[in-house]
Amino acid sequence: MTGEDEVRYMARALELARRGRFTTHPNPSVGCVLVRDGAIVGEGWHRRAGEGHAEVNALVDAGARAAGATAYVTLEPCNHHGRTPPCTEALRGAGVERVVAAARDPNPHVAGGGLEALRQAGVQVSEGLLRAASERLNREYFKRARTGLPWVRVKVAMSLDGRTAMASGESRWITGEAARGDAQRWRASAGCVLTGIGTVLADDPSLDVRLTPAALGIEGEVRQPLRVVVDTHLRTPPAARLLGLRGHTLIVCAPQALSSPAAATLAGAGEPGGSRVSLHGVGRAGGGLDLRAVLASLAADFEVNEVHVEAGARLTGSLLGADLADELLCYVAMDLLGSEARAMAELPLRALAERKRWTLAESRMLGRDLRLTLTPARRADDGD
């Protein structure tokens, strides 16, 4: 078998892994290909959190042909009991002779233990093939495991002159249907959709995923991400639309607010078997909540890998100003809204040296709108 063959098999495993983008949270997206005598005998991917992992699904697909095969898997096989048994045991039990892993699992419950368990059982092991592609596929999972913080994507829909609404607040719709549909797909991939109390009071958003399973290319029910409202003083109206929708809404507030009458009212706003509402206290910083602590709590307490932010200028500006965003997703309409319209972010910078620099990672036209994907520029790139 040539090196080109091995790259092809791992590339196929990565292709399979991407199919779990909308369904595996908080688990990573993983794919596996089993090869014996130069032919693929089994394929699998992690379809949904709580169900069989990629390796197990590939073994089921291969059946008896798995004996003597090589497994190409995009992430190190697990060696611990979680919601499913260890994949290392399944691979050994099926007689797989060699395992090629693209990347080690950064989860401390695994972190090299899966590969070592296979080695000790006499299975040949190698790692690192297409590692960068594997880590990029699950960059949100890797960030949470390595830093204790989730990946933060800030989404804005704006005009050519950087405005998100008219002075009156009118904003529906700045961008077209294609851009709005694309934004729905980003919601569907996230662990949570986060907004601020200002947006709730002004727009009464739903923050839910309205795409069908067919539109997402998945089987079964569409997973609704956790809806999160940053609301220091618990001003969220009990009749707010997002509180009555299927799924879980989390209101993050100051600890003192948890003993207020509003807390008891909001905690009872959910409906059994449908919507669920809970409150969570986080410490203060400045005039609001400590946003870094909010993000750390979402990662640690709610297993959120990826935060998708759809907020107003104040919260957007606070996140950008504190350098807490990993990605900026801008949908730009080919229109001008004028100097009286509202800016995308409250970011009171006073000198050019304070500017926040971003690097264009991707651009794409969606109907008449332009989607820009940007990442924070490195300090080394600050020169003109």
Side-chain angles (χ1 to χ4, degrees), residues 68-337:
T70 295
Y72 294 86
V73 60
T74 59
L75 195 66
E76 174 184 10
C78 64
N79 190 42
H80 65 285
H81 285 271
R83 284 183 283 187
T84 58
C87 290
T88 51
E89 293 182 4
L91 291 166
R92 295 199 310 264
V96 170
E97 291 187 352
R98 181 172 174 245
V99 172
V100 181
R104 288 198 177 198
D105 193 330
N107 184 335
H109 292 295
V110 187
L115 296 178
E116 183 57 30
L118 290 169
R119 288 191 185 97
Q120 291 184 6
V123 178
Q124 300 176 50
V125 170
S126 63
E127 60 180 290
L129 181 64
L130 300 187
R131 176 187 287 116
S134 173
E135 293 196 6
R136 176 166 178 76
L137 174 65
N138 288 299
R139 60 187 181 177
E140 303 86 0
Y141 174 79
F142 273 82
K143 186 192 176 189
R144 178 166 78 95
R146 289 170 172 170
T147 70
L149 291 172
W151 182 273
V152 179
R153 177 191 309 106
V154 176
K155 173 256 180 182
V156 293
M158 65 185 191
S159 61
L160 274 174
D161 48 351
R163 306 293 173 164
T164 59
M166 303 305 293
S168 64
E170 180 186 1
S171 62
R172 295 187 178 181
W173 297 101
I174 290 177
T175 55
E177 185 175 349
R180 297 197 300 273
D182 185 74
Q184 280 278 314
R185 295 179 67 84
W186 290 103
R187 274 190 192 179
S189 72
C192 81
V193 180
L194 182 144
T195 196
I197 181 59
T199 299
V200 172
L201 294 175
D203 299 335
D204 194 19
S206 60
L207 304 185
D208 61 338
V209 177
R210 295 184 289 276
L211 297 177
T212 64
L216 292 173
I218 64 173
E219 298 177 355
E221 191 176 23
V222 173
R223 178 185 62 85
Q224 290 296 332
L226 174 69
R227 297 181 291 269
V228 180
V229 180
V230 178
D231 181 6
T232 305
H233 304 293
L234 289 183
R235 295 188 292 148
T236 300
R241 182 162 52 170
L242 55 77
L243 301 186
L245 297 175
R246 181 174 60 87
H248 184 190
T249 299
L250 175 71
I251 303 176
V252 184
C253 62
Q256 299 88 333
L258 293 173
S259 58
S260 68
T265 301
L266 288 170
E271 299 178 0
S275 60
R276 174 187 168 204
V277 179
S278 58
L279 311 179
H280 187 67
V282 174
R284 301 284 298 272
L289 298 183
D290 183 338
L291 293 179
R292 180 175 288 273
V294 169
L295 295 173
S297 181
L298 289 174
D301 301 321
F302 299 92
E303 295 186 297
V304 170
N305 298 324
E306 177 183 346
V307 175
H308 181 75
V309 180
E310 296 190 20
R314 179 172 296 179
L315 181 53
T316 295
S318 295
L319 290 165
L320 297 178
D323 297 324
L324 291 173
D326 299 287
E327 189 173 32
L328 188 55
L329 190 67
C330 296
Y331 294 91
V332 185
M334 301 296 108
D335 303 307
L336 300 174
L337 298 187

